[in-house]
């Protein structure tokens, strides 16, 4: 029979898997939402700005919930709200309803991110080998399943309403069955209280790294399909998203071993090079084969950024792990949701192809930022 830590790992993996499915389900149908409401790139950018605003509002709520209670409680509450808000995004009744749904979708995702990563670091203590990277690999597998299902829905012209309803029902069954197996006693025993103040230099550097990682990853989620549809003229616009997720998943499932073999500092450098190279190919050669190759390179590049930075966050000393993750996740969430509307504004002004250069700039930032992080660690050892 499986041991208790193995059961907890399986249950937590299920939540990572579901989160990946739900997010990719939403992201892969953004072109559909854009068409339903006949939005321009700029208007879509305005709409997506609701999400970083919601994430900022959720800063004190998510940090307080995970610090106050065992992380499984906010994880379950956030997951329920996540599923309900996803379903409501598929109604398409009114623009006001869409705005409210996007707000709740981003808020619940923020709560989930803090709670689920707190659980992963708590569970890591029960295993000798690193497992955090594999959790993020499972999230990416969920993303692949989500975009594959979206591709099937598009191919057979299933409406977004029925599509999102099926995903919600699957998610409800999953979280009801897995909730009892989650870690129950991971509430921080003692910590400095969270205050709105300037974080330490180390936490700020980690925050900026996940911020730029989120711009690359979130932008690819939201604009990948639009780029294939409007620049490359592909009717089935989920192919690029699918390959991006496959490459990211393959890399995340091996990132724990790669960290042990090459070290995180080298991997940050390689990630930067892959992102920049991939975006250059996508923008310079806007035809189907080069664009798909470019998306693959970007997928390999962004794959290790979040798990590596979360591991580094566990070394912070100013706050307890839940609070540190909440602070870091703030940068991540803002980047994840701020990147797409910025691309929308730039696309409206200069064209989508030129707007993609933003990802290249974000990818370059990992070279100086990672150097400063590891220099800081050497000084404090």
């Amino acid at each position: 029979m499986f041991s208790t830590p193995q059961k907890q790992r399986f249950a937590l993996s299920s939540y990572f898997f579901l989160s990946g499915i739900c997010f990719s389900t939403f992201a892969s149908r953004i072109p559909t939402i854009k068409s339903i409401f006949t939005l321009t790139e700029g208007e879509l950018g305005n709409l997506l700005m609701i999400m970083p605003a919601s994430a900022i509002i959720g800063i004190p709520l998510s940090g307080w919930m995970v610090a106050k209670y065992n992380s499984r409680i906010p994880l379950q509450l956030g997951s329920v709200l996540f599923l309900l808000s996803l379903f409501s995004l598929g109604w398409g009744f009114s623009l006001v309803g869409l705005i409210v749904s996007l707000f709740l979708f981003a808020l619940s995702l923020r709560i989930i991110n803090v709670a689920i990563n707190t659980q992963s670091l708590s569970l890591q203590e029960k295993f000798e080998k690193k497992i955090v990277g594999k959790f993020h690999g499972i999230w990416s597998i969920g993303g692949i399943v989500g975009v594959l299902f979206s591709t099937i829905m598009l191919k057979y012209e299933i409406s977004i309403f029925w599509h999102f309803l099926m995903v919600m029902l699957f998610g409800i069954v999953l979280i009801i069955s897995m909730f009892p197996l989650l870690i129950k006693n991971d509430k921080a025993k003692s910590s400095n209280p969270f205050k709105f103040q300037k974080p330490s230099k180390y936490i700020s550097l980690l925050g900026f790294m996940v911020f730029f990682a989120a711009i690359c990853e979130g932008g690819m989620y939201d604009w990948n399909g639009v780029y294939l549809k409007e620049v490359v003229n592909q009717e089935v616009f989920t192919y690029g998203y699918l390959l991006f997720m496959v490459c990211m998943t393959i890399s995340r499932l091996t990132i724990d071993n790669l960290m042990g073999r090459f070290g995180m500092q080298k991997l940050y450098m390689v990630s930067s090079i892959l992102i920049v190279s991939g975006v250059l190919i996508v923008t310079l050669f806007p035809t189907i084969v080069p664009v798909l190759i470019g998306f693959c390179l970007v997928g390999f590049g962004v794959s290790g950024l979040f798990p590596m930075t979360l591991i580094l966050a566990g070394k912070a000393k100013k706050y307890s792990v839940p609070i540190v993750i909440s602070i870091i996740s703030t940068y991540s969430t803002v980047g994840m949701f701020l990147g797409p509307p910025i691309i929308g504004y730039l696309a409206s002004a200069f064209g989508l192809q030129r707007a993609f250069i933003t990802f290249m700039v974000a990818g370059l930032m990992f070279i100086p930022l990672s150097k400063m992080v590891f220099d800081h660690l050497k000084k404090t050892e």
Side-chain angles (χ1 to χ4, degrees):
M1 297 295 292
F2 293 111
S3 64
T4 298
Q6 289 172 327
K7 291 178 181 177
Q8 292 169 335
R9 182 177 179 180
F10 179 77
L12 187 58
S13 297
S14 300
Y15 279 81
F16 271 98
F17 180 72
L18 178 63
S19 178
I21 287 179
C22 291
F23 190 85
S24 68
T25 296
F26 160 70
S28 62
R29 295 303 293 253
I30 285 177
T32 304
I33 295 172
K34 183 174 181 287
S35 298
I36 290 173
F37 291 93
T38 60
L39 303 172
T40 65
E41 281 81 3
E43 289 170 339
L44 179 59
N46 288 332
L47 186 66
L48 294 175
M49 275 297 292
I50 296 163
M51 302 179 83
S54 174
I56 292 171
I57 291 171
I59 291 172
L61 176 63
S62 58
W64 173 80
M65 287 180 69
V66 178
K68 176 82 173 175
Y69 304 101
N70 296 321
S71 60
R72 71 178 196 142
I73 295 174
L75 177 55
Q76 187 75 345
L77 292 174
S79 297
V80 171
L81 182 60
F82 197 44
L83 290 168
L84 293 174
S85 58
L86 174 68
F87 172 60
S88 64
L89 284 168
W91 284 10
F93 289 153
S94 68
L95 189 58
V96 173
L98 180 63
I99 291 171
V100 173
S101 298
L102 280 173
F103 180 89
L104 295 175
F105 187 79
L107 179 65
S108 58
L109 182 58
R110 166 157 185 81
I111 295 171
I112 290 170
N113 282 343
V114 176
I116 205 169
N117 285 305
T118 299
Q119 280 258 327
S120 71
L121 291 180
S122 298
L123 192 57
Q124 174 67 79
E125 297 176 1
K126 300 184 179 183
F127 292 84
E128 293 183 4
K129 294 183 178 180
K130 288 185 173 64
I131 61 173
V132 173
K134 289 185 176 61
F135 282 128
H136 290 266
I138 291 168
W139 186 94
S140 298
I141 291 174
I144 292 174
V145 172
V147 73
L148 276 173
F149 191 57
S150 296
T151 303
I152 294 171
M153 296 295 99
L154 287 167
K155 184 176 179 62
Y156 291 99
E157 299 181 351
I158 305 298
S159 73
I160 191 172
F161 174 86
W162 291 107
H163 177 189
F164 285 9
L165 175 61
M166 287 185 277
V167 173
M168 183 190 70
L169 293 176
F170 168 77
I172 289 173
V173 172
L174 188 66
I175 63 175
I176 288 175
S177 58
M178 291 294 108
F179 177 70
L181 301 178
L182 293 172
I183 293 178
K184 299 178 180 179
N185 299 308
D186 65 339
K187 177 184 174 182
K189 296 180 180 179
S190 63
S191 66
N192 295 329
F194 178 75
K195 298 178 181 179
F196 283 100
Q197 61 184 24
K198 183 180 179 180
S200 67
K201 178 181 177 181
Y202 180 68
I203 294 176
S204 295
L205 288 171
L206 295 181
F208 280 116
M209 284 210 292
V210 296
F211 172 78
F212 287 112
I215 285 179
C216 293
E217 191 171 331
M220 283 291 158
Y221 292 146
D222 290 2
W223 288 99
N224 185 305
V226 179
Y227 193 92
L228 273 178
K229 183 178 180 181
E230 299 185 3
V231 177
V232 188
N233 297 316
Q234 287 293 307
E235 291 185 5
V236 183
F237 47 78
T238 53
Y239 290 147
Y241 192 174
L242 177 59
L243 281 176
F244 172 76
M245 292 298 298
V246 167
C247 293
M248 191 164 65
T249 301
I250 292 171
S251 184
R252 278 184 171 171
L253 290 174
T254 60
I255 193 66
D256 291 324
N257 294 330
L258 292 174
M259 281 189 281
R261 184 172 181 179
F262 299 106
M264 283 190 278
Q265 190 167 3
K266 290 182 180 178
L267 290 180
Y268 275 113
M269 300 287 285
V270 172
S271 295
S272 180
I273 293 170
L274 287 171
I275 292 170
V276 172
S277 301
V279 174
L280 275 175
I281 292 172
V282 168
T283 55
L284 293 177
F285 307 101
T287 55
I288 185 63
V289 174
V291 165
L292 293 180
I293 292 173
F295 285 151
C296 285
L297 291 178
V298 177
F300 283 124
V302 302
S303 61
L305 298 174
F306 281 109
M308 289 193 297
T309 308
L310 282 171
I311 290 173
L312 292 174
K315 299 181 181 181
K317 300 176 181 179
K318 187 172 183 179
Y319 295 115
S320 65
V321 170
I323 295 298
V324 173
I325 291 177
S326 179
I327 296 170
I328 299 299
S329 295
T330 299
Y331 289 84
S332 169
T333 306
V334 171
M336 182 73 74
F337 295 138
L338 190 61
I342 288 176
I343 296 297
Y345 299 143
L346 292 174
S348 182
F350 306 106
L352 186 56
Q353 194 171 341
R354 291 188 180 92
F356 260 52
I357 296 174
T358 305
F359 301 132
M360 185 175 67
V361 175
L364 281 170
M365 296 304 297
F366 295 104
I367 296 176
L369 285 173
S370 62
K371 184 179 186 303
M372 286 189 282
V373 165
F374 289 102
D375 286 346
H376 177 83
L377 285 174
K378 289 176 183 177
K379 291 178 182 179
T380 56
E381 286 178 351

